[in-house]
Amino acid sequence: MRLEEYWGVGPKTRETLVKELGQEQAVQAIESGDIRTLSDTGLARGRATRILRRATGGERMDILATSDARSAYNELLDLAVDHAVTQRAADRIRVLTPLESKKAMEDRLDNVLAARDAWEALADDDREVVLAAFNCYDERNGSELAAVEAALALLESGVKSGPFALIADIEADALEAAATALAALNNGRVREGADEELDRLRDTLGTVEDMDANALELIDELQDGGVQDVTDFREAFEARLLSDTDVTVEQVREAMPTNATDATDFVGGTLRRLQSDLREAADEREERVAEEFESTLSERDEAIEQAVSAVDEIAFHLSLARFALAHDCTRPTFRGEDGAAVSVVAARNLTVDASGEDVQPITYALGDHTVTEGPTDAGIPGQQHVTVLTGANSGGKTTLLETLCQIVLLATMGLPVPAEQAEVTPIDALVFHRRHASFNAGVLESTLRSIVPPLSADGKTLMLVDEFEAITEPGSAADLLHGLVTLTVDREALGVFVTHLADDLEPLPPEARIDGIFAEGLSPDLELVVDYQPRFDTVGRSTPEFIVSRLVANASDRSERTGFETLGEAVGNEAVQRTLADVRRAADK
């Protein structure tokens, strides 16, 4: 395949890749999802990532119909990358995309959950061994030697379940021989320490070369030692060579010239001949040793390839398993032709969960769900495909939208989700729109251009729209939002619309319902207490008296307090005073 045929590879990118890698290696890097190799050519990491996502199944990236959906997708991958055990695994996670079929989703779930179960079952000591093996793999830049040594370490740990089964049938003896040979060779040359005789020859050659470089000093030293004639000088030089180098007397005498004219000519001639003999012997020895190691590698080629592939796959699935385990994720179920639904039981927002904050699990459902038990005795009503979510400011409505978005994205990528149960219909378009505090015609037009076309196209669409009214005046906002809800119902899509304009949307189509989130008061620390679990078929109400109560209680001087008390009269002084009394009673307990 030509480089230009890959998405995002234009003439300039092609020129860079060919110059730095060559056509064949560049194609291989793209096909294998190798972000590091592409980035090392000077290509921006973000661009390399986008190219690889499209090249490795990214046709389903079109599911992400809005920039907010794409942002949520990137945020999820960043969270997963935090649990990667190797850099290569992190790169593979970064190029994960929504999958084409339900079977592909189920297959990846099988692998990830098997890895999760295997990792969870390991003792702490075994986990440390596994992580140490992958750490060494990264330190050696993921080379063949690094993969073979990692595979050996994993074999020695005795871990054979889940993804580790990939290395269970590799012979340890073959890997040990391969590791020795790989460690010995460097671009065809034999490394120091690989062969004792070769090291001896190289060391001896180095010593003789040093003596040759300082021949005049050596001659002066020998002459100052009291030699009387040529015979004494010859014997002293011979003794010095035998004591300072690892050569034999036969090698020395054979190297000594018979027709030297003076001491300089004699010493120089001897040392040059010794260097030539030693270099030739070292080259011959290195050639024989290299051939032996190359033969070993050829015989163990299959084991090496198996180790490289297995270590890569184990690291990838183990990284995703650690992510799933860290957030207590479970397998979602997929709804097929029998209906469309998004339902969650005890779902948690991953962003909040990763921050370390307390998370209130949420149960919510829309569409043809099978959830029978809700958070209250009333359960979850009906099979409405569209809901309007209302309630207090800072009440978790946006967080609920993000949670549903995260669960749908994870499920379509074949990954476990942060909920006790979840039902997801594989969708063709995810329209996620966060609240934007811009108020002009341009923002309204661009927003409508991004959210309406996916809804109007064929296929299953999920609409998650947050405070649409923030981008236009209230009267028009209510009319447009009512139109969006109606269009979502007419297109048989799924949708959750967060708004403060619920009363202005009546009457809604019967296929839609209104749910609400309620603030319950202030804590003794004057923090807003919210029940984040939506109440179904109930309009949530803003609770300004709680906010005003907090402002009154926290006022720093009398005039400021008087101003806030005036606001309290506007929202209901009795409610403000009752709230403050409740706070005082709670603080006294």
Side-chain angles (χ1 to χ4, degrees), residues 42-288:
L43 202 63
R45 190 173 187 86
R47 182 170 181 79
T49 301
R50 290 191 294 274
I51 290 172
L52 294 180
R53 284 173 180 167
R54 293 283 180 171
T56 56
E59 63 275 0
R60 294 292 286 171
M61 287 293 290
D62 293 338
I63 285 176
L64 309 176
T66 60
S67 60
D68 287 327
R70 292 186 288 274
S71 294
Y73 159 80
N74 286 318
E75 290 163 9
L76 277 179
L77 294 185
D78 286 342
L79 289 174
V81 162
D82 288 341
H83 300 276
V85 297
T86 66
Q87 183 58 53
R88 166 69 177 155
D91 288 345
R92 288 186 63 181
I93 290 171
R94 286 189 179 95
V95 299
L96 284 174
T97 63
L99 296 170
E100 183 71 30
S101 67
K102 188 167 69 172
K103 182 181 185 307
M105 299 171 197
E106 295 281 13
D107 288 346
R108 180 173 288 163
L109 277 165
D110 288 342
N111 290 329
V112 173
L113 292 173
R116 183 201 62 184
D117 294 343
W119 182 250
E120 190 174 20
L122 288 182
D124 289 342
D125 290 346
D126 289 333
R127 289 188 184 185
E128 290 179 7
V129 169
V130 172
L131 292 178
F134 285 121
N135 186 54
C136 290
Y137 174 85
D138 261 1
E139 289 177 351
R140 293 179 176 270
N141 296 318
S143 64
E144 283 190 339
L145 174 59
V148 169
E149 289 182 336
L152 271 171
L154 294 176
L155 277 174
E156 290 170 0
S157 74
V159 183
K160 297 181 180 179
S161 60
F164 301 104
L166 292 171
I167 60 168
D169 62 343
I170 306 179
E171 292 184 7
D173 290 345
L175 289 180
E176 289 172 355
T180 300
L182 287 167
L185 296 176
N186 180 26
N187 295 324
R189 298 298 305 274
V190 179
R191 288 190 174 95
E192 182 180 354
D195 181 74
E196 184 176 346
E197 173 60 13
L198 179 58
D199 288 345
R200 186 192 68 79
L201 289 170
R202 285 172 171 171
D203 290 344
T204 303
L205 174 60
T207 302
V208 173
E209 288 173 338
D210 290 343
M211 293 177 73
D212 189 26
N214 301 282
L216 294 178
E217 295 177 11
L218 175 61
I219 292 171
D220 289 343
E221 186 179 337
L222 293 174
Q223 290 175 340
D224 291 344
V227 295
Q228 300 298 319
D229 52 27
V230 172
T231 301
D232 287 348
F233 183 85
R234 177 189 177 99
E235 291 176 353
F237 179 45
E238 178 180 298
R240 183 64 173 269
L241 283 171
L242 293 175
S243 65
D244 289 2
T245 71
D246 194 17
V247 294
T248 64
V249 66
E250 290 79 9
Q251 287 175 303
V252 172
R253 291 175 181 176
E254 186 177 343
M256 287 179 174
T258 57
N259 55 352
T261 58
D262 55 24
T264 302
D265 192 18
F266 177 74
V267 170
T270 302
L271 294 176
R272 285 191 295 274
R273 174 65 184 276
L274 280 175
Q275 288 177 72
S276 177
D277 292 345
L278 289 169
R279 190 173 292 111
E280 182 179 354
D283 289 345
E284 290 177 356
R285 179 67 184 180
E286 182 175 27
E287 184 177 353
R288 288 196 302 273

